[in-house]
Amino acid sequence: MKLNLTIKPLNTWFTESNQPPLIAGPCSAETEEQLLSTAKLLAQTGRVAVLRAGIWKPRTRPGEFEGVGSIGLTWLQKAKAETGLPTAVEVANAKHVEEALAAGVDVLWVGARSTVNPFTVQEIADALKGADVPVLVKNPVNPDLSLWCGALERINNAGITKLAAIHRGFSSFEKTAFRNEPMWELAIQLKTLAPELPIFNDPSHICGNRELIPYIAQKALDLDMQGLMIESHIDPSVAWTDAKQQLTPTALSELIGRLTLRQAESNDNKFVDKLTELREKIDKIDDQIIQKMAERMKVVEKIGEYKRDSGVTILQVSRWDEILQKRSDFAKALNLELDFVGKLLELIHNESIRKQTEIMNEVKA
Ligand code: PEP
Ligand code: MN
């Protein structure tokens, strides 16, 4: 699968003064007072780049609070006027896009329940044509990388180049500590397919509870994700949606203050020198491993010829058990993970059997 996106670098369209770039705000705008008071405190922290608030809420069951609707746009305008924070809302159809753009919303995002549906994404993309607004695309609810890529392509094909992805975790049948399984490998695969595409992490929807958020946020930064989207509410205990996962603006600010920022590439010469030295060591060790592997194969060939000429079978199960046991004991003594060593030995063993089979089938010289 290839992903050809035309992307404007994040620092050309996102306030750079905040590290890591943080989008924060309530899961839902509930009242004008709730949104404005939250926004003011968030702005005071000095850590927030964009104010988020859901006004059209995708809910699992009908009858639940489905967002305040278009009136929320005027509250967002007020919040922006009073705090200077740019604003972001979720859009799930053409009407949402048109209204949000008309109201001057600065950033739009496509929710996880919309990304799963190419009809919805295409409708949103068509409504975005001609607009120069940043759009963030959440991963689909189900762990399907193609759907995520497809949605990004549709939005990009509509001419949106201020584009980023949001990793918010995936639904899984198994009940785990997370509301949505992070499945980091999918975000990493997306990064590999489109290195120029910025990825935000949304620890709020991955965790589903406040307690785990710092762990996931830090892990996202360690994996070189570019930014964070975190839900924050003036009083999470009375939030109308996602109450368990929202943080007060103060708690959010403390959390951001505790995160360790790491640089993917560093300009610090001492660091670069040390890294080069360590990498050279690794290169040397890898060469030795391959050389030893070649030596081992030569011995395997000899054994194969010997077995063939003596009419003995290739596989002697007791010998394999002995190898596995001895090597595992050795590996354990060296603090190596047994599962890893087991898999490695099995690979080597399979290759040895393949080689010996080849030799068995050769006509005796
Ligand atoms: C949200 O951001 O409040 C939201 C509904 O998120 P998601 O689409 O990730 O479920
Ligand atoms: Mn939410």
Side-chain angles (χ1 to χ4, degrees), residues 44-333:
Q44 276 171 26
T45 67
R47 298 193 190 271
V48 177
V50 174
L51 172 72
R52 64 149 279 161
I55 59 174
W56 297 291
K57 298 301 296 180
R59 303 312 304 279
T60 307
R61 304 283 303 275
E64 294 176 356
F65 171 62
E66 293 190 328
V68 293
S70 313
I71 182 79
L73 293 169
T74 56
W75 304 346
L76 279 163
Q77 285 171 336
K78 268 198 185 164
K80 181 176 172 177
E82 291 189 19
T83 63
L85 288 176
T87 54
V89 291
E90 172 176 349
V91 289
N93 58 39
K95 190 169 158 285
H96 294 166
V97 174
E98 284 150 19
E99 287 191 33
L101 291 178
V105 173
D106 301 280
V107 176
L108 308 182
W109 85 84
V110 176
R113 287 161 197 78
S114 300
T115 307
V116 289
N117 185 346
F119 286 123
T120 299
V121 177
Q122 193 56 53
E123 180 185 324
I124 294 170
D126 290 342
L128 282 166
K129 276 191 188 134
D132 185 32
V133 67
V135 179
L136 317 178
V137 180
K138 288 206 176 193
N139 67 252
V141 175
N142 55 325
D144 184 335
L145 182 61
S146 303
L147 272 176
W148 201 1
C149 292
L152 287 158
E153 286 173 318
R154 285 177 199 276
I155 305 286
N156 197 220
N157 288 345
I160 300 294
T161 51
K162 296 170 183 168
L163 185 66
I166 302 178
H167 171 223
R168 53 76 80 193
F170 303 85
S171 256
S172 84
F173 190 63
E174 247 175 89
K175 279 280 150 275
T176 70
F178 299 107
R179 178 180 175 194
N180 291 293
E181 277 303 296
M183 297 186 189
W184 296 101
E185 63 279 13
L186 286 167
I188 292 166
Q189 278 170 29
L190 180 64
K191 209 177 187 25
T192 314
L193 286 174
E196 70 286 10
L197 177 76
I199 304 183
F200 282 72
N201 180 262
D202 170 351
S204 307
H205 289 90
I206 289 179
C207 299
N209 63 67
R210 278 179 280 285
E211 293 69 29
L212 288 169
I213 291 179
Y215 164 71
I216 292 295
Q218 184 62 61
K219 177 135 186 178
L221 296 185
D222 292 347
L223 288 172
D224 199 22
M225 302 226 176
Q226 273 83 354
L228 297 168
M229 178 188 258
I230 303 184
E231 288 184 341
S232 176
H233 190 289
I234 183 92
D235 183 358
S237 68
V238 298
W240 298 0
T241 55
D242 289 350
K244 280 193 281 186
Q245 71 192 32
Q246 302 204 59
L247 297 165
T248 62
T250 313
L252 175 64
S253 178
E254 282 167 9
L255 160 71
I256 299 297
R258 282 196 304 269
L259 293 175
T260 310
L261 285 168
R262 299 183 222 278
Q263 282 168 303
E265 299 294 340
S266 173
N267 295 325
D268 174 350
N269 281 342
K270 237 166 116 189
F271 168 82
V272 172
D273 286 354
K274 184 77 195 156
L275 190 65
T276 311
E277 184 192 315
L278 291 172
R279 282 181 174 160
E280 275 168 11
K281 265 193 189 158
I282 290 268
D283 290 350
K284 216 180 257 169
I285 294 172
D286 284 351
D287 286 352
Q288 284 168 348
I289 293 175
I290 293 190
Q291 177 142 351
K292 287 288 163 203
M293 217 59 93
E295 283 173 24
R296 191 184 196 280
M297 273 311 154
K298 283 262 175 287
V299 180
V300 165
E301 274 175 40
K302 282 234 152 45
I303 295 182
E305 285 163 10
Y306 190 58
K307 282 183 186 166
R308 178 195 62 198
D309 298 347
S310 321
V312 175
T313 57
I314 297 173
L315 184 65
Q316 276 97 35
V317 178
S318 57
R319 167 70 180 146
W320 172 236
D321 284 345
E322 182 197 324
I323 290 185
L324 208 57
Q325 190 55 53
K326 278 192 183 153
R327 305 290 190 274
S328 299
D329 289 347
F330 184 39
K332 206 167 153 190

